[in-house]
Amino acid sequence: MNLFHRAFLYVTRKITKSFTLFLILLVISTLVLSGVAIKDATGTAALNVRQALGGVFTLQQNTDDPSKWVSTPVGNTGSQSYYDGEPLTVELAERIMAGTTGISGYNATYTNYTVPLNTDGKILELLESEDNGSSLGSLIAGSGDFNSTVSTIAATNTAYDSYFAGGYIELVEGKHFTTMDKNSAIMSSELAQHNGLSVGDKITLRMSEYKASMMGIDASKTKVEVTIVGLFRSTAKSTTSLSNWSMDNSIFTTLEVVKTARPDMGDESFERIQFYVNDPGEIDNIVKNVKKLPDLDPTDFIVSIDSSNVDAVMEPLANMNRLISILILLVLVVGAAILCLVLSIRMKERVHESGVQLALGISKKNIVAQYLTEVLIIAVFAFSLSTFTSGFVAKTAGHQLLDNTIADSVQSPAAKSLGTSMDGETFLGSSDFVPEFEGSNPLTKIEVEIEPVMVAGMFSIGFLMICAAVMLAAAPVLRMKPREILSKMS
Amino acid sequence: MGIMEIKGVRYTYDNKRNILKSVHADFEAGNMYAIVGPSGCGKTTLLSLLGGLDSPTGGQILFDGQDIEKIGLAAHRKNDVAFIFQSYNLIDYLTPQENVALTSKLPPLPILERVGLTKEEAKRNVLKLSGGQQQRVAIARALASDASVILADEPTGNLDEDTAIEITNILKECAHQMNKCMIIVTHSNELAKQADMILKLRKGELQIVDASDSNAGKEQKN
């Protein structure tokens, strides 16, 4: 009777012992395989996060550089300063797009405030919301129609707008607009409903009479009619310094419309242009290439890669990755120790059998090989089953861990991103929101899968661990003379 | 020259206690030998040395004229000798048939039937067999190995009187009819009386006792 036959008979006849060992190996292999799968998924999640959050850079005017300002005399004693660098225009954005590969799109923005009116010339009834506790509300009380102004965001492509792309607001009806769509506007569905408006309706925007009188401008001549092409809904809570400047009262439109409604803008152009790149891994090279463009003076602009949102997600992901690596190692070490302990106890119980087999002329190597084969037979079944159990464990635990990690990290910057400056001129204008494109959220599409290569690795490591454990457990028996074993058994 | 020969074998425990001083003996095929002596005199040690379970401190053990150290103890255990233990030492997860087949060079069932087991008993769990039946399986296992020398350590020690007689007869039969050299270590006078030769181990030396002397009182120095 060869060792394989003996091993098979032992495994099938000592059912309780075999089943105990089966459970131990199943638990170890399930934990290890689940850990490896989750670790692998964190890698995929990190890539998704980089792709979703990492591929954006922003162009702003370099107004902090004093050499970019030119002063001209006004009258006999006064002087006027203006920024002499290249303005942020659609033409500039198109030039950068044309001269650089790897950019998927852009959106240029400028924010001001206007008074919205319906077709009857009545000011729209605005939505009430809590302000952020600033004293601006009390300061402007009694300032005419200033309380009816709304944040008016000029955009070149609302699909790439950081509020939409970041998922803080979503288009619920209609469509996005680009520079091709003249006199278009997008407003919140709640504000539209509040005033009986819908997609296709027209509204009018004009300068605040209060502000216009201060500037010596006739507000009635600043009226500009726009068509509502889309409605949005807020998905994140926001606070503002004035209730009428809340996100739900805001209106997206084109720069031409804002310029008409706010003639005091003069030659001002966009405040910033955000460019979205195809491969986030290439963003540093793309920014370098932008700065090297021949018809562009890099000192005119500040080019920034905003990685705060990426870092906010990547750091917990990296921590989780480290934690899972430690857990896998821990499971392997503890598992190996438990396996070694169980096998040592079993080996002690089988000293009698070992002695008998030695007395019958079966070699020590053959006996140890039989014990090893027994564990390997059980391991094949345990490891095979673990590919299914670990699939379930990894998916359940992995999704829970990854979703929490990413959701916490993505949502946390939302509140602080919304804000306003006290002068009331640049409301909601300069925040860098996380881009997340319409209809697609790669962060929620994390798949925790058991790959064949993981199973192969687990089988290899498992078999090596079993070999080591059996050799360690059998070492005392291997060192003993047959007579010592027989005397132990008697 | 017999099939097994012991030449001046010495054995010392921990380099202190001389359990075997200078043992000489010659064992021939077709005979049953009984080694007797008081407890702790070294009978089982001598049997272990003959079976290649341990090595002597000095002297030589020859099988068929060859030093068993040169043959290799594992090879000697596998090919030349077979053991029968007092506590049967059957492997509990194997049936009698499988226990015999463990090292068998011969078909196990006829041998089991020869020592008195039925076909049904040969397929049962060994732990469900009586002591006598288990010892029969142990004898069958020794016979199945086709070894020339069978070493039995107190083979009737755990058995009742009637079963002990049956087992003794089987062992005697094995020696005489199957031409085996049967070397038995025993405290049993009844078993020793059935041997062709009784050897007494005393003060580390082996002495031949007249087989007809049941009390092993009439000693003859080897």
Side-chain angles (χ1 to χ4, degrees):
Chain A
M1 187 184 288
N2 63 36
L3 68 97
F4 299 107
H5 191 183
R6 296 200 308 267
F8 175 76
L9 290 173
Y10 179 85
V11 170
T12 51
R13 304 246 170 101
K14 296 278 184 183
I15 294 292
T16 311
K17 285 181 191 291
S18 299
F19 188 67
T20 315
L21 196 59
F22 172 82
L23 284 181
I24 292 169
L25 291 170
L26 180 65
V27 169
I28 294 171
S29 54
T30 300
L31 289 175
V32 169
L33 207 50
S34 304
V36 171
I38 296 170
K39 190 175 155 59
D40 187 66
T42 58
T44 311
L47 190 69
N48 285 349
V49 166
R50 280 201 67 81
Q51 281 173 344
L53 307 181
V56 60
F57 68 90
T58 306
L59 207 67
Q60 286 172 283
Q61 285 185 324
N62 189 11
T63 51
D64 291 343
D65 184 353
S67 69
K68 294 288 171 187
W69 289 89
V70 174
S71 191
T72 53
V74 176
N76 294 328
T77 52
S79 68
Q80 187 181 351
S81 293
Y82 63 92
Y83 183 74
D84 193 35
E86 186 176 352
L88 297 175
T89 59
V90 171
E91 185 274 324
L92 170 72
E94 291 294 338
R95 210 180 338 137
I96 291 171
M97 283 281 288
T100 320
T101 53
I103 298 175
S104 57
Y106 71 88
N107 181 49
T109 56
Y110 174 87
T111 309
N112 212 315
Y113 58 91
T114 59
V115 176
L117 311 153
N118 61 21
T119 45
D120 298 335
K122 282 185 180 175
I123 295 172
L124 294 190
E125 203 174 314
L126 302 182
L127 301 166
E128 290 291 322
S129 68
E130 282 181 29
D131 62 32
N132 64 5
S134 79
S135 56
L136 195 60
S138 56
L139 281 172
I140 63 163
S143 303
D145 63 354
F146 196 88
N147 285 329
S148 299
T149 58
V150 297
S151 177
T152 312
I153 304 158
T156 56
N157 186 347
T158 51
Y160 283 104
D161 179 82
S162 54
Y163 290 95
F164 281 104
Y168 301 106
I169 56 175
E170 63 180 11
L171 195 72
V172 289
E173 207 180 326
K175 65 179 185 75
H176 282 289
F177 66 79
T178 65
T179 46
M180 305 297 286
D181 304 301
K182 305 292 179 192
N183 291 49
S184 295
I186 294 176
M187 67 195 301
S188 80
S189 57
E190 209 177 336
L191 180 65
Q193 203 175 0
H194 200 58
N195 290 279
L197 298 167
S198 57
V199 172
D201 288 348
K202 293 183 188 306
I203 57 168
T204 303
L205 300 175
R206 67 160 169 80
M207 191 176 185
S208 150
E209 286 170 347
Y210 177 77
K211 179 83 179 176
S213 65
M214 285 171 68
M215 307 285 294
I217 298 170
D218 181 359
S220 63
K221 290 182 179 172
T222 63
K223 283 182 182 174
V224 55
E225 197 176 62
V226 292
T227 306
I228 301 165
V229 295
L231 299 175
F232 70 82
R233 180 179 69 88
S234 293
T235 57
K237 192 184 172 187
S238 61
T239 57
T240 54
S241 50
L242 283 175
S243 168
N244 50 301
W245 288 352
S246 70
M247 191 77 232
D248 285 334
N249 285 329
S250 300
I251 294 172
F252 289 84
T253 186
T254 59
L255 187 67
E256 288 68 29
V257 170
V258 178
K259 276 191 166 184
T260 310
R262 292 300 304 263
D264 54 319
M265 261 182 75
D267 291 335
E268 274 189 66
S269 190
F270 292 106
E271 293 168 324
R272 68 185 64 215
I273 309 172
Q274 284 190 306
F275 292 91
Y276 297 88
V277 302
N278 297 322
D279 182 1
E282 283 296 308
I283 195 160
D284 289 334
N285 288 333
I286 292 169
V287 168
K288 274 180 196 169
N289 291 339
V290 168
K291 286 178 178 176
K292 282 180 195 167
L293 285 174
D295 49 356
L296 189 141
D297 179 359
T299 62
D300 282 352
F301 310 103
I302 298 168
V303 186
S304 55
I305 301 169
D306 181 14
S307 62
S308 60
N309 290 307
V310 179
D311 294 342
V313 181
M314 292 299 276
E315 201 177 317
L317 273 177
N319 287 339
M320 191 173 141
N321 199 298
R322 272 194 296 276
L323 179 74
I324 290 168
S325 298
I326 292 168
L327 282 175
I328 293 171
L329 195 69
L330 206 68
V331 169
L332 278 174
V333 170
V334 174
I338 291 171
L339 192 64
C340 211
L341 191 72
V342 169
L343 291 176
S344 294
I345 294 167
R346 296 268 170 96
M347 213 63 86
K348 265 193 169 181
E349 289 170 358
R350 294 177 77 179
V351 163
H352 173 99
E353 183 188 334
S354 305
V356 173
Q357 293 201 34
L358 279 171
L360 295 175
I362 297 170
S363 70
K364 283 180 184 174
K365 277 182 196 168
N366 193 293
I367 294 167
V368 174
Q370 179 198 331
Y371 296 159
L372 178 64
T373 308
E374 290 165 5
V375 187
L376 290 179
I377 290 172
I378 297 167
V380 167
F381 289 99
F383 291 171
S384 300
L385 185 65
S386 76
T387 58
F388 299 101
T389 53
S390 59
F392 174 74
V393 172
K395 276 181 184 169
T396 309
H399 280 148
Q400 188 72 29
L401 286 167
L402 286 168
D403 288 353
N404 285 346
T405 303
I406 293 165
D408 290 349
S409 314
V410 169
Q411 283 169 14
S412 55
K416 70 177 181 185
S417 295
L418 293 168
T420 184
S421 59
M422 289 297 288
D423 63 4
E425 296 286 335
T426 53
F427 169 65
L428 293 170
S430 315
S431 301
D432 293 324
F433 285 101
V434 286
E436 204 176 306
F437 298 113
E438 190 185 357
S440 167
N441 185 356
L443 300 183
T444 59
K445 291 179 181 169
I446 297 155
E447 286 299 320
V448 185
E449 295 288 347
I450 307 292
E451 305 286 342
V453 69
M454 295 175 196
V455 178
M458 193 266 299
F459 264 84
S460 309
I461 292 171
F463 282 174
L464 279 174
M465 192 172 88
I466 287 167
C467 288
V470 169
M471 292 310 287
L472 273 171
V477 178
L478 282 171
R479 278 201 301 269
M480 275 195 273
K481 286 181 181 177
R483 184 156 183 263
E484 284 176 295
I485 298 171
L486 283 166
S487 60
K488 273 190 185 295
M489 89 202 205
S490 61
Chain B
M1 187 179 68
I3 191 154
M4 274 210 99
E5 204 176 342
I6 307 174
K7 281 186 173 178
V9 161
R10 298 193 309 280
Y11 192 85
T12 310
Y13 275 121
D14 305 324
N15 293 322
K16 285 177 187 171
R17 189 178 160 219
N18 280 339
I19 191 87
L20 299 175
K21 285 174 185 167
S22 179
V23 175
H24 296 267
D26 199 356
F27 302 98
E28 288 178 2
N31 283 333
M32 185 162 96
Y33 299 90
I35 299 175
V36 296
S39 295
C41 71
K43 299 188 295 293
T44 300
T45 301
L46 181 61
L47 205 68
S48 299
L49 296 175
L50 286 169
L53 293 173
D54 203 349
S55 299
T57 316
Q60 271 187 318
I61 295 169
L62 307 175
F63 177 82
D64 221 4
Q66 264 195 301
D67 191 337
I68 63 168
E69 295 280 353
K70 284 181 184 165
I71 294 169
L73 296 184
H76 173 64
R77 288 197 300 270
K78 190 176 181 183
N79 302 316
D80 307 332
V81 293
F83 283 92
I84 298 169
F85 301 97
Q86 180 179 358
S87 50
Y88 330 126
N89 286 342
L90 299 175
I91 293 175
D92 62 356
Y93 58 87
L94 302 177
T95 62
Q97 204 171 345
E98 288 159 352
N99 261 284
V100 173
L102 206 57
T103 55
S104 177
K105 296 181 177 75
L106 305 166
L109 205 56
I111 302 169
L112 281 165
E113 284 177 326
R114 183 167 184 164
V115 295
L117 257 75
T118 63
K119 276 180 188 168
E120 288 72 31
E121 286 165 342
K123 288 173 187 169
R124 261 192 223 161
N125 183 331
V126 285
L127 298 178
K128 288 182 181 167
L129 298 175
S130 68
Q133 284 171 322
Q134 287 190 47
Q135 194 60 297
R136 284 169 209 265
V137 176
I139 293 166
R141 183 173 67 186
L143 292 175
S145 72
D146 205 24
S148 308
V149 178
I150 295 174
L151 306 167
D153 190 1
E154 298 283 2
T156 57
N158 286 352
L159 304 175
D160 62 68
E161 201 176 323
D162 291 343
T163 312
I165 291 167
E166 282 176 34
I167 294 297
T168 305
N169 289 335
I170 293 170
L171 294 174
K172 203 172 171 181
E173 234 180 76
C174 289
H176 295 158
Q177 290 178 17
M178 298 172 79
N179 199 36
K180 302 286 183 188
C181 172
M182 185 75 68
I183 302 170
I184 301 166
V185 163
T186 185
H187 280 111
S188 163
N189 282 341
E190 293 307 316
L191 175 58
K193 272 200 288 188
Q194 298 299 318
D196 297 306
M197 186 180 288
I198 302 172
L199 298 109
K200 186 169 185 177
L201 193 61
R202 205 170 71 168
K203 294 178 182 172
E205 289 181 355
L206 197 62
Q207 298 159 344
I208 296 174
V209 180
D210 190 338
S212 59
D213 183 352
S214 61
N215 293 317
K218 197 175 170 184
E219 296 168 4
Q220 184 181 350
K221 188 98 179 230
N222 185 20

